[in-house]
Amino acid sequence: MKDPAKPWDGALVRNWLERRFEAARLDQATADKRGYSAQDDYDKAAAEEWVCRALKTANADDQAAFAARIKELLVQDEYRVTGIYDDRRFERHVRASLRNVAKMTKANEGFGNTLHYQ
């Protein structure tokens, strides 16, 4: 059951971001080795890495400030990055990742799962 009184844990969020950042880098390397057929997987992993990198600088100790940073990133027109295959696909994956983290932030759950991105 979900515990609605569960306090926000900034250290847990920072740990989750760091672990997902590293996993996304490994996913990019794996997709890169698979070649042309894995370009979408590469862009998806690059988007996850970008989101984690952008949120690592946010104030993870305050849930409201963290949610505000996610909203700021969501309203950006474009996300600059080099080395991706398709800009539009990358931006779509960035927005999807940001929305997913926003849901996790609002519900205050899922940050303990560092083994797999939700």
Side-chain angles (χ1 to χ4, degrees):
M1 283 301 275
K2 189 165 77 169
D3 182 11
K6 182 180 170 186
W8 179 257
D9 187 358
L12 182 66
V13 173
R14 283 189 298 276
N15 181 45
W16 183 86
L17 287 170
E18 186 61 40
R19 299 280 300 269
R20 291 309 314 151
F21 178 80
E22 294 301 324
R25 295 191 67 157
L26 291 174
D27 290 348
Q28 285 179 67
T30 302
D32 198 31
K33 288 178 184 176
R34 289 191 351 236
Y36 181 79
S37 64
Q39 286 181 352
D40 185 52
D41 294 339
Y42 182 90
D43 288 347
K44 191 174 194 174
E48 185 180 348
E49 178 191 0
W50 188 94
V51 167
C52 291
R53 178 180 287 126
L55 291 176
K56 284 200 296 187
T57 62
N59 181 9
D61 292 325
D62 181 18
Q63 186 176 11
F66 192 73
R69 178 65 179 143
I70 293 170
K71 287 180 183 178
E72 288 173 12
L73 292 171
L74 272 169
V75 298
Q76 279 186 348
D77 288 333
E78 58 185 38
Y79 306 99
R80 299 263 181 210
V81 70
T82 59
I84 57 172
Y85 292 101
D86 186 340
D87 291 335
R88 288 192 317 202
R89 181 173 52 204
F90 173 77
E91 288 183 10
R92 186 175 62 241
H93 288 313
V94 167
R95 290 184 197 287
S97 293
L98 285 169
R99 284 191 300 270
N100 214 2
V101 175
K103 286 179 191 175
M104 291 169 55
T105 301
K106 184 176 181 180
N108 191 17
E109 63 181 21
F111 291 108
N113 183 5
T114 57
L115 298 178
H116 181 68
Y117 187 69
Q118 287 78 27

